[in-house]
Every structure is written in C-alpha cells, then in structure tokens.
Amino acid sequence: MGVIGNICVVFIVIILLGTIGMTIYFHVSGRKKWTPHLLIGSLVIMFTLSLPLLLNLRSEHEAEIEKVIASRAGTILDIEAIKSNEYPMRRGKANTIYKVTYLNENNQTNTAWYRGINHIGNIHETVSGSLPEQWYFEEDGPYPTLQTAQSIDELIIVAQDLQYNTWQEHERFTIYNGGMPMLTFNHEQGHMELWETTSDDCLRFAVRLLEIHGLTVNQDEFFQIAREYGGHGDPNKNITMRVNDQQLVIRSGIATGMADVKYERVTK
C-alpha cells in the first residue's frame, strides 16, 4: 500500500476513535450541540485522507490491467471504470468493473472486462461485499452462462457470479453456499452428492456438470427424482436412470435433503 497509504490509514483510525471519544464526552458534559459540528468536521477530514487511498487503488487496478494485457501481447488504448450496469459479469458492492479497449497481437481492436476488488493493500484478495477478481476477453468467445458453460473452469465463473464459493482439486469439484457444501462432484469416481435438493441452482449445476462429462439428462425428470429421493434419510431408497450408454443411480443420502448420485458405464 505504500508509506503514504499507511499514514492515511493511521490518521483515519485516530480521527475515528477521537470522534467517538469526543462524542461521548459532549453527551456526558451536556454539550450535545457540538456533536453535529464534530461529526461533520471529522467526516470532511476522513474523506480528504481517503482520497490518496482511492487514487492508489485505481492505480493498482490499472497496473494489473496493463500486466495482463501485456501478457497477451496487447496494447492498451483505453481503460474506463464503468458506473452503469452495462457489463457482462456481475459486480459486488466492493468491486469495480473496468472496460479495457486494446489492440491485440494482430493489430485488431478488442474489448476486455476486468472485475477488480476494492481491497486496499491486496487487490487479489476478496473482501466482504466483493465477488472474486475476474477477466473476460470478448475475442475468446461469449461470456459463459450456466446453459453454455463447456468446462469446469467456465462453471466456476458462473458459480462465482451467482455468489457461490467454489473449490476444485483434481477431479473433485465443490460448490459452497455460504460455508456449507451445496454440491460435490467427483468425475473420477462417477459420484455426486447433492446437499440442497430443494435448491434449483444446486440441481441445475448438477445437470450441467453431467452434461459437461457427456451425460445429457432430462432436467425435469432429474429434478423430480432428486427431490423425491433427497427427501428421505434412508440410503436404501434408490432409482436408476438410463442415459445413453451409462446408468445413473440416484439414492437417498445420509440425511434428509441430500441425494447421492452415482453413474457408471453399462454394456447392455
């Protein structure tokens, strides 16, 4: 963040604590009429001290943009912080969306979008109210949606845009709703656990994951079966769906609301 940024933060904290202390003192001593003047003065001073931090944040974002565009052998023409809602990805309260116009290595004008994180000190670390840092290059193709995602990486973008946390390790992929798993998927073992069978998002992600790995299921039928068999705590309840040359076994999980899905190739 730099020396100037650290000094500004220290002074802002001192002024904030001093304002709280003086406000209490004025109320105790019967000088409440001075409180509005104190608050206005403190806000003006803190806003003035915040300006270098905000300018530094913008410069950090621009430095990151320049680095990424350079890695693609591009030349930046313009960087614009978008204030409207006209951008492809979602934006959290602690994000800034940048529209980047650049020349690619073939000297063609293209557009990229960068979702920066408004975290003073580390723009690569998510904070409360922010979505993860994200790039989208229009020349690479359409921005992924749940219906068009063709890979786990694209599905991660969709999940994060919907404000779900994700975790990928080898063939295992997990989507978290808050701090709890909503769906876990292990393609190597042909196994999926649906922890929130009442959630449309959970079941839509399950269907898309199966499609990405070559199993096209009837979504309405899958929703109905997963919800029915996720409503019991009896793992002996199960049903088999035939999908292409594979069979999908859906059974009740270890707890009510969970469905356990296994698929395997069959020869008949």
Side-chain angles (χ1 to χ4, degrees):
M1 182 160 53
V3 177
I4 295 177
N6 288 327
I7 292 174
C8 289
V9 170
V10 170
F11 273 107
I12 288 173
V13 172
I14 292 174
I15 292 170
L16 181 61
L17 294 175
T19 300
I20 294 173
M22 290 299 293
T23 300
I24 295 173
Y25 171 74
F26 285 153
H27 276 259
V28 171
S29 62
R31 302 177 183 178
K32 295 181 181 181
K33 65 179 182 179
W34 290 101
T35 300
H37 302 288
L38 174 66
L39 294 176
I40 292 173
S42 298
L43 288 174
V44 170
I45 295 173
M46 284 191 289
F47 176 76
T48 302
L49 290 172
S50 297
L51 288 177
L53 299 179
L54 296 175
L55 293 173
N56 184 65
L57 183 63
R58 171 66 185 247
S59 67
E60 288 188 28
H61 283 160
E62 290 186 349
E64 179 66 18
I65 291 170
E66 291 170 358
K67 182 181 74 173
V68 172
I69 296 298
S71 71
R72 295 173 65 104
T75 303
I76 293 175
L77 300 176
D78 184 56
I79 300 174
E80 179 185 2
I82 304 299
K83 302 299 182 182
S84 67
N85 293 322
E86 298 177 358
Y87 39 78
M89 67 264 286
R90 295 197 179 194
R91 180 180 68 86
K93 293 180 180 179
N95 290 115
T96 300
I97 302 290
Y98 294 93
K99 181 180 180 180
V100 184
T101 307
Y102 66 99
L103 290 176
N104 65 11
E105 58 184 344
N106 297 320
N107 211 34
Q108 297 173 325
T109 302
N110 279 286
T111 300
W113 302 84
Y114 173 59
R115 181 171 65 206
I117 301 174
N118 302 336
H119 185 179
I120 298 171
N122 187 353
I123 62 171
H124 305 295
E125 182 179 335
T126 55
V127 294
S128 177
S130 78
L131 293 175
E133 185 179 24
Q134 182 64 48
W135 275 94
Y136 164 51
F137 291 86
E138 291 186 356
E139 64 178 331
D140 291 347
Y143 192 75
T145 65
L146 187 56
Q147 290 72 35
T148 64
Q150 298 297 316
S151 65
I152 297 296
D153 289 339
E154 290 188 354
L155 204 62
I156 287 174
I157 293 174
V158 176
Q160 291 177 341
D161 272 358
L162 294 173
Q163 302 189 44
Y164 294 117
N165 299 319
T166 61
W167 177 258
Q168 184 181 12
E169 183 180 13
H170 303 298
E171 289 289 330
R172 187 175 177 85
F173 171 60
T174 305
I175 300 176
Y176 293 92
N177 187 2
M180 300 298 294
M182 180 170 73
L183 175 153
T184 59
F185 179 81
N186 192 320
H187 178 59
E188 189 176 28
Q189 297 180 1
H191 182 225
M192 178 187 296
E193 293 174 339
L194 309 177
W195 297 87
E196 295 184 2
T197 54
T198 58
S199 164
D200 284 351
D201 279 349
C202 174
L203 299 181
R204 289 192 188 104
F205 276 117
V207 170
R208 194 68 198 125
L209 275 164
L210 291 171
E211 289 176 347
I212 288 173
H213 288 89
L215 286 87
T216 301
V217 300
N218 180 291
Q219 178 170 297
D220 292 337
E221 182 183 6
F222 183 84
F223 273 41
Q224 179 182 353
I225 293 173
R227 283 177 173 152
E228 178 180 353
Y229 286 84
H232 305 279
D234 182 0
N236 295 317
K237 291 182 177 291
N238 64 76
I239 190 169
T240 301
M241 294 175 63
R242 184 70 178 264
V243 183
N244 301 332
D245 61 344
Q246 302 191 52
Q247 66 178 6
L248 204 66
V249 179
I250 303 177
R251 66 187 180 92
S252 179
I254 56 177
T256 300
M258 175 186 170
D260 190 75
V261 181
K262 291 189 176 181
Y263 59 93
E264 59 186 17
R265 191 171 300 279
V266 293
T267 56
K268 293 183 181 181

